[in-house]
mmCIF file with all atom_site columns, all heavy atoms in Angstrom:
data_model
loop_
_atom_site.group_PDB
_atom_site.id
_atom_site.type_symbol
_atom_site.label_atom_id
_atom_site.label_alt_id
_atom_site.label_comp_id
_atom_site.label_asym_id
_atom_site.label_entity_id
_atom_site.label_seq_id
_atom_site.pdbx_PDB_ins_code
_atom_site.Cartn_x
_atom_site.Cartn_y
_atom_site.Cartn_z
_atom_site.occupancy
_atom_site.B_iso_or_equiv
_atom_site.pdbx_formal_charge
_atom_site.auth_seq_id
_atom_site.auth_comp_id
_atom_site.auth_asym_id
_atom_site.auth_atom_id
_atom_site.pdbx_PDB_model_num
ATOM 1   N N   . ALA B 1 199 ? 10.520 49.444 45.304 1.00 0.00 ? 199 ALA B N   1
ATOM 2   C CA  . ALA B 1 199 ? 9.216  49.156 45.906 1.00 0.00 ? 199 ALA B CA  1
ATOM 3   C C   . ALA B 1 199 ? 8.428  48.117 45.102 1.00 0.00 ? 199 ALA B C   1
ATOM 4   O O   . ALA B 1 199 ? 8.160  46.973 45.565 1.00 0.00 ? 199 ALA B O   1
ATOM 5   C CB  . ALA B 1 199 ? 8.371  50.446 46.103 1.00 0.00 ? 199 ALA B CB  1
ATOM 6   N N   . GLU B 1 200 ? 8.076  48.482 43.824 1.00 0.00 ? 200 GLU B N   1
ATOM 7   C CA  . GLU B 1 200 ? 7.286  47.509 43.108 1.00 0.00 ? 200 GLU B CA  1
ATOM 8   C C   . GLU B 1 200 ? 7.879  47.137 41.778 1.00 0.00 ? 200 GLU B C   1
ATOM 9   O O   . GLU B 1 200 ? 7.313  46.231 41.041 1.00 0.00 ? 200 GLU B O   1
ATOM 10  C CB  . GLU B 1 200 ? 5.856  48.126 42.824 1.00 0.00 ? 200 GLU B CB  1
ATOM 11  C CG  . GLU B 1 200 ? 5.846  49.376 42.022 1.00 0.00 ? 200 GLU B CG  1
ATOM 12  C CD  . GLU B 1 200 ? 4.434  49.846 41.715 1.00 0.00 ? 200 GLU B CD  1
ATOM 13  O OE1 . GLU B 1 200 ? 3.445  49.136 42.060 1.00 0.00 ? 200 GLU B OE1 1
ATOM 14  O OE2 . GLU B 1 200 ? 4.296  50.965 41.150 1.00 0.00 ? 200 GLU B OE2 1
ATOM 15  N N   . HIS B 1 201 ? 8.966  47.755 41.322 1.00 0.00 ? 201 HIS B N   1
ATOM 16  C CA  . HIS B 1 201 ? 9.583  47.291 39.992 1.00 0.00 ? 201 HIS B CA  1
ATOM 17  C C   . HIS B 1 201 ? 10.865 46.578 40.123 1.00 0.00 ? 201 HIS B C   1
ATOM 18  O O   . HIS B 1 201 ? 11.548 46.370 39.020 1.00 0.00 ? 201 HIS B O   1
ATOM 19  C CB  . HIS B 1 201 ? 9.708  48.642 39.206 1.00 0.00 ? 201 HIS B CB  1
ATOM 20  C CG  . HIS B 1 201 ? 8.516  49.304 38.890 1.00 0.00 ? 201 HIS B CG  1
ATOM 21  N ND1 . HIS B 1 201 ? 7.506  48.663 38.087 1.00 0.00 ? 201 HIS B ND1 1
ATOM 22  C CD2 . HIS B 1 201 ? 7.956  50.552 39.134 1.00 0.00 ? 201 HIS B CD2 1
ATOM 23  C CE1 . HIS B 1 201 ? 6.443  49.501 37.997 1.00 0.00 ? 201 HIS B CE1 1
ATOM 24  N NE2 . HIS B 1 201 ? 6.725  50.656 38.642 1.00 0.00 ? 201 HIS B NE2 1
ATOM 25  N N   . GLY B 1 202 ? 11.251 46.135 41.298 1.00 0.00 ? 202 GLY B N   1
ATOM 26  C CA  . GLY B 1 202 ? 12.397 45.258 41.396 1.00 0.00 ? 202 GLY B CA  1
ATOM 27  C C   . GLY B 1 202 ? 13.736 45.967 41.317 1.00 0.00 ? 202 GLY B C   1
ATOM 28  O O   . GLY B 1 202 ? 13.818 47.213 41.297 1.00 0.00 ? 202 GLY B O   1
ATOM 29  N N   . ILE B 1 203 ? 14.772 45.193 41.380 1.00 0.00 ? 203 ILE B N   1
ATOM 30  C CA  . ILE B 1 203 ? 16.115 45.762 41.486 1.00 0.00 ? 203 ILE B CA  1
ATOM 31  C C   . ILE B 1 203 ? 16.773 45.943 40.049 1.00 0.00 ? 203 ILE B C   1
ATOM 32  O O   . ILE B 1 203 ? 17.411 46.962 39.843 1.00 0.00 ? 203 ILE B O   1
ATOM 33  C CB  . ILE B 1 203 ? 17.058 44.826 42.333 1.00 0.00 ? 203 ILE B CB  1
ATOM 34  C CG1 . ILE B 1 203 ? 16.507 44.790 43.771 1.00 0.00 ? 203 ILE B CG1 1
ATOM 35  C CG2 . ILE B 1 203 ? 18.524 45.282 42.248 1.00 0.00 ? 203 ILE B CG2 1
ATOM 36  C CD1 . ILE B 1 203 ? 16.642 46.082 44.508 1.00 0.00 ? 203 ILE B CD1 1
ATOM 37  N N   . GLY B 1 204 ? 16.527 44.904 39.253 1.00 0.00 ? 204 GLY B N   1
ATOM 38  C CA  . GLY B 1 204 ? 17.269 44.978 37.871 1.00 0.00 ? 204 GLY B CA  1
ATOM 39  C C   . GLY B 1 204 ? 18.722 45.039 38.076 1.00 0.00 ? 204 GLY B C   1
ATOM 40  O O   . GLY B 1 204 ? 19.327 44.598 39.034 1.00 0.00 ? 204 GLY B O   1
ATOM 41  N N   . GLN B 1 205 ? 19.370 45.673 37.026 1.00 0.00 ? 205 GLN B N   1
ATOM 42  C CA  . GLN B 1 205 ? 20.839 45.774 37.028 1.00 0.00 ? 205 GLN B CA  1
ATOM 43  C C   . GLN B 1 205 ? 21.290 47.145 37.570 1.00 0.00 ? 205 GLN B C   1
ATOM 44  O O   . GLN B 1 205 ? 22.401 47.307 38.150 1.00 0.00 ? 205 GLN B O   1
ATOM 45  C CB  . GLN B 1 205 ? 21.406 45.530 35.679 1.00 0.00 ? 205 GLN B CB  1
ATOM 46  C CG  . GLN B 1 205 ? 21.193 44.053 35.297 1.00 0.00 ? 205 GLN B CG  1
ATOM 47  C CD  . GLN B 1 205 ? 21.830 43.842 33.868 1.00 0.00 ? 205 GLN B CD  1
ATOM 48  O OE1 . GLN B 1 205 ? 23.009 43.869 33.711 1.00 0.00 ? 205 GLN B OE1 1
ATOM 49  N NE2 . GLN B 1 205 ? 20.909 43.520 32.910 1.00 0.00 ? 205 GLN B NE2 1
ATOM 50  N N   . LEU B 1 206 ? 20.490 48.209 37.371 1.00 0.00 ? 206 LEU B N   1
ATOM 51  C CA  . LEU B 1 206 ? 20.812 49.528 37.744 1.00 0.00 ? 206 LEU B CA  1
ATOM 52  C C   . LEU B 1 206 ? 20.984 49.646 39.232 1.00 0.00 ? 206 LEU B C   1
ATOM 53  O O   . LEU B 1 206 ? 21.809 50.432 39.700 1.00 0.00 ? 206 LEU B O   1
ATOM 54  C CB  . LEU B 1 206 ? 19.767 50.534 37.208 1.00 0.00 ? 206 LEU B CB  1
ATOM 55  C CG  . LEU B 1 206 ? 19.773 50.859 35.693 1.00 0.00 ? 206 LEU B CG  1
ATOM 56  C CD1 . LEU B 1 206 ? 18.592 51.783 35.350 1.00 0.00 ? 206 LEU B CD1 1
ATOM 57  C CD2 . LEU B 1 206 ? 21.106 51.490 35.331 1.00 0.00 ? 206 LEU B CD2 1
ATOM 58  N N   . LYS B 1 207 ? 20.161 48.921 39.998 1.00 0.00 ? 207 LYS B N   1
ATOM 59  C CA  . LYS B 1 207 ? 20.220 49.095 41.478 1.00 0.00 ? 207 LYS B CA  1
ATOM 60  C C   . LYS B 1 207 ? 20.973 47.935 42.113 1.00 0.00 ? 207 LYS B C   1
ATOM 61  O O   . LYS B 1 207 ? 20.969 47.875 43.400 1.00 0.00 ? 207 LYS B O   1
ATOM 62  C CB  . LYS B 1 207 ? 18.752 49.053 41.984 1.00 0.00 ? 207 LYS B CB  1
ATOM 63  C CG  . LYS B 1 207 ? 17.979 50.221 41.509 1.00 0.00 ? 207 LYS B CG  1
ATOM 64  C CD  . LYS B 1 207 ? 16.525 50.130 42.020 1.00 0.00 ? 207 LYS B CD  1
ATOM 65  C CE  . LYS B 1 207 ? 15.653 51.243 41.484 1.00 0.00 ? 207 LYS B CE  1
ATOM 66  N NZ  . LYS B 1 207 ? 14.214 51.113 41.931 1.00 0.00 ? 207 LYS B NZ  1
ATOM 67  N N   . ARG B 1 208 ? 21.694 47.155 41.344 1.00 0.00 ? 208 ARG B N   1
ATOM 68  C CA  . ARG B 1 208 ? 22.350 45.943 41.921 1.00 0.00 ? 208 ARG B CA  1
ATOM 69  C C   . ARG B 1 208 ? 23.425 46.329 42.980 1.00 0.00 ? 208 ARG B C   1
ATOM 70  O O   . ARG B 1 208 ? 23.397 45.856 44.126 1.00 0.00 ? 208 ARG B O   1
ATOM 71  C CB  . ARG B 1 208 ? 23.030 45.086 40.926 1.00 0.00 ? 208 ARG B CB  1
ATOM 72  C CG  . ARG B 1 208 ? 23.760 43.923 41.418 1.00 0.00 ? 208 ARG B CG  1
ATOM 73  C CD  . ARG B 1 208 ? 24.343 43.081 40.322 1.00 0.00 ? 208 ARG B CD  1
ATOM 74  N NE  . ARG B 1 208 ? 25.344 43.933 39.636 1.00 0.00 ? 208 ARG B NE  1
ATOM 75  C CZ  . ARG B 1 208 ? 26.013 43.430 38.500 1.00 0.00 ? 208 ARG B CZ  1
ATOM 76  N NH1 . ARG B 1 208 ? 25.754 42.164 38.066 1.00 0.00 ? 208 ARG B NH1 1
ATOM 77  N NH2 . ARG B 1 208 ? 26.877 44.142 37.876 1.00 0.00 ? 208 ARG B NH2 1
ATOM 78  N N   . ASP B 1 209 ? 24.277 47.244 42.650 1.00 0.00 ? 209 ASP B N   1
ATOM 79  C CA  . ASP B 1 209 ? 25.294 47.670 43.545 1.00 0.00 ? 209 ASP B CA  1
ATOM 80  C C   . ASP B 1 209 ? 24.740 48.345 44.804 1.00 0.00 ? 209 ASP B C   1
ATOM 81  O O   . ASP B 1 209 ? 25.297 48.226 45.904 1.00 0.00 ? 209 ASP B O   1
ATOM 82  C CB  . ASP B 1 209 ? 26.281 48.638 42.865 1.00 0.00 ? 209 ASP B CB  1
ATOM 83  C CG  . ASP B 1 209 ? 27.079 47.934 41.787 1.00 0.00 ? 209 ASP B CG  1
ATOM 84  O OD1 . ASP B 1 209 ? 27.148 46.657 41.722 1.00 0.00 ? 209 ASP B OD1 1
ATOM 85  O OD2 . ASP B 1 209 ? 27.674 48.560 40.862 1.00 0.00 ? 209 ASP B OD2 1
ATOM 86  N N   . GLU B 1 210 ? 23.657 49.066 44.629 1.00 0.00 ? 210 GLU B N   1
ATOM 87  C CA  . GLU B 1 210 ? 23.039 49.744 45.783 1.00 0.00 ? 210 GLU B CA  1
ATOM 88  C C   . GLU B 1 210 ? 22.383 48.781 46.756 1.00 0.00 ? 210 GLU B C   1
ATOM 89  O O   . GLU B 1 210 ? 22.411 48.919 47.907 1.00 0.00 ? 210 GLU B O   1
ATOM 90  C CB  . GLU B 1 210 ? 22.072 50.811 45.342 1.00 0.00 ? 210 GLU B CB  1
ATOM 91  C CG  . GLU B 1 210 ? 22.627 52.081 44.770 1.00 0.00 ? 210 GLU B CG  1
ATOM 92  C CD  . GLU B 1 210 ? 21.689 53.153 44.809 1.00 0.00 ? 210 GLU B CD  1
ATOM 93  O OE1 . GLU B 1 210 ? 21.317 53.661 45.847 1.00 0.00 ? 210 GLU B OE1 1
ATOM 94  O OE2 . GLU B 1 210 ? 21.291 53.622 43.725 1.00 0.00 ? 210 GLU B OE2 1
ATOM 95  N N   . LEU B 1 211 ? 21.854 47.706 46.095 1.00 0.00 ? 211 LEU B N   1
ATOM 96  C CA  . LEU B 1 211 ? 21.221 46.614 46.926 1.00 0.00 ? 211 LEU B CA  1
ATOM 97  C C   . LEU B 1 211 ? 22.309 45.980 47.760 1.00 0.00 ? 211 LEU B C   1
ATOM 98  O O   . LEU B 1 211 ? 22.120 45.821 48.984 1.00 0.00 ? 211 LEU B O   1
ATOM 99  C CB  . LEU B 1 211 ? 20.633 45.591 46.060 1.00 0.00 ? 211 LEU B CB  1
ATOM 100 C CG  . LEU B 1 211 ? 20.034 44.369 46.848 1.00 0.00 ? 211 LEU B CG  1
ATOM 101 C CD1 . LEU B 1 211 ? 18.787 44.703 47.558 1.00 0.00 ? 211 LEU B CD1 1
ATOM 102 C CD2 . LEU B 1 211 ? 19.863 43.167 45.822 1.00 0.00 ? 211 LEU B CD2 1
ATOM 103 N N   . LEU B 1 212 ? 23.440 45.714 47.222 1.00 0.00 ? 212 LEU B N   1
ATOM 104 C CA  . LEU B 1 212 ? 24.532 44.995 47.913 1.00 0.00 ? 212 LEU B CA  1
ATOM 105 C C   . LEU B 1 212 ? 25.077 45.922 49.049 1.00 0.00 ? 212 LEU B C   1
ATOM 106 O O   . LEU B 1 212 ? 25.506 45.461 50.133 1.00 0.00 ? 212 LEU B O   1
ATOM 107 C CB  . LEU B 1 212 ? 25.697 44.625 47.038 1.00 0.00 ? 212 LEU B CB  1
ATOM 108 C CG  . LEU B 1 212 ? 25.270 43.559 45.922 1.00 0.00 ? 212 LEU B CG  1
ATOM 109 C CD1 . LEU B 1 212 ? 26.379 43.302 44.893 1.00 0.00 ? 212 LEU B CD1 1
ATOM 110 C CD2 . LEU B 1 212 ? 24.823 42.270 46.578 1.00 0.00 ? 212 LEU B CD2 1
ATOM 111 N N   . ALA B 1 213 ? 25.013 47.317 48.803 1.00 0.00 ? 213 ALA B N   1
ATOM 112 C CA  . ALA B 1 213 ? 25.622 48.224 49.763 1.00 0.00 ? 213 ALA B CA  1
ATOM 113 C C   . ALA B 1 213 ? 24.515 48.530 50.845 1.00 0.00 ? 213 ALA B C   1
ATOM 114 O O   . ALA B 1 213 ? 24.937 48.958 51.933 1.00 0.00 ? 213 ALA B O   1
ATOM 115 C CB  . ALA B 1 213 ? 25.977 49.535 49.075 1.00 0.00 ? 213 ALA B CB  1
ATOM 116 N N   . THR B 1 214 ? 23.295 48.298 50.539 1.00 0.00 ? 214 THR B N   1
ATOM 117 C CA  . THR B 1 214 ? 22.261 48.750 51.497 1.00 0.00 ? 214 THR B CA  1
ATOM 118 C C   . THR B 1 214 ? 21.730 47.617 52.341 1.00 0.00 ? 214 THR B C   1
ATOM 119 O O   . THR B 1 214 ? 21.485 47.822 53.518 1.00 0.00 ? 214 THR B O   1
ATOM 120 C CB  . THR B 1 214 ? 20.981 49.254 50.634 1.00 0.00 ? 214 THR B CB  1
ATOM 121 O OG1 . THR B 1 214 ? 21.411 50.386 49.879 1.00 0.00 ? 214 THR B OG1 1
ATOM 122 C CG2 . THR B 1 214 ? 19.846 49.773 51.572 1.00 0.00 ? 214 THR B CG2 1
ATOM 123 N N   . GLU B 1 215 ? 21.509 46.465 51.799 1.00 0.00 ? 215 GLU B N   1
ATOM 124 C CA  . GLU B 1 215 ? 20.867 45.360 52.605 1.00 0.00 ? 215 GLU B CA  1
ATOM 125 C C   . GLU B 1 215 ? 21.923 44.795 53.595 1.00 0.00 ? 215 GLU B C   1
ATOM 126 O O   . GLU B 1 215 ? 23.111 44.776 53.351 1.00 0.00 ? 215 GLU B O   1
ATOM 127 C CB  . GLU B 1 215 ? 20.497 44.206 51.679 1.00 0.00 ? 215 GLU B CB  1
ATOM 128 C CG  . GLU B 1 215 ? 19.277 44.573 50.813 1.00 0.00 ? 215 GLU B CG  1
ATOM 129 C CD  . GLU B 1 215 ? 18.073 44.798 51.630 1.00 0.00 ? 215 GLU B CD  1
ATOM 130 O OE1 . GLU B 1 215 ? 17.752 44.024 52.580 1.00 0.00 ? 215 GLU B OE1 1
ATOM 131 O OE2 . GLU B 1 215 ? 17.380 45.845 51.401 1.00 0.00 ? 215 GLU B OE2 1
ATOM 132 N N   . PRO B 1 216 ? 21.471 44.337 54.734 1.00 0.00 ? 216 PRO B N   1
ATOM 133 C CA  . PRO B 1 216 ? 22.403 43.727 55.722 1.00 0.00 ? 216 PRO B CA  1
ATOM 134 C C   . PRO B 1 216 ? 23.080 42.398 55.129 1.00 0.00 ? 216 PRO B C   1
ATOM 135 O O   . PRO B 1 216 ? 22.427 41.769 54.278 1.00 0.00 ? 216 PRO B O   1
ATOM 136 C CB  . PRO B 1 216 ? 21.431 43.284 56.802 1.00 0.00 ? 216 PRO B CB  1
ATOM 137 C CG  . PRO B 1 216 ? 20.120 44.040 56.654 1.00 0.00 ? 216 PRO B CG  1
ATOM 138 C CD  . PRO B 1 216 ? 20.051 44.368 55.162 1.00 0.00 ? 216 PRO B CD  1
ATOM 139 N N   . PRO B 1 217 ? 24.253 42.215 55.483 1.00 0.00 ? 217 PRO B N   1
ATOM 140 C CA  . PRO B 1 217 ? 25.008 41.043 54.970 1.00 0.00 ? 217 PRO B CA  1
ATOM 141 C C   . PRO B 1 217 ? 24.212 39.773 55.117 1.00 0.00 ? 217 PRO B C   1
ATOM 142 O O   . PRO B 1 217 ? 24.275 38.918 54.192 1.00 0.00 ? 217 PRO B O   1
ATOM 143 C CB  . PRO B 1 217 ? 26.307 41.057 55.861 1.00 0.00 ? 217 PRO B CB  1
ATOM 144 C CG  . PRO B 1 217 ? 26.497 42.435 56.262 1.00 0.00 ? 217 PRO B CG  1
ATOM 145 C CD  . PRO B 1 217 ? 25.115 42.967 56.429 1.00 0.00 ? 217 PRO B CD  1
#
Side-chain angles (χ1 to χ4, degrees):
E200 65 175 350
H201 294 301
I203 297 298
Q205 295 181 64
L206 286 175
K207 299 177 184 176
R208 179 180 60 182
D209 292 341
E210 285 200 68
L211 174 74
L212 297 175
T214 301
E215 289 297 312

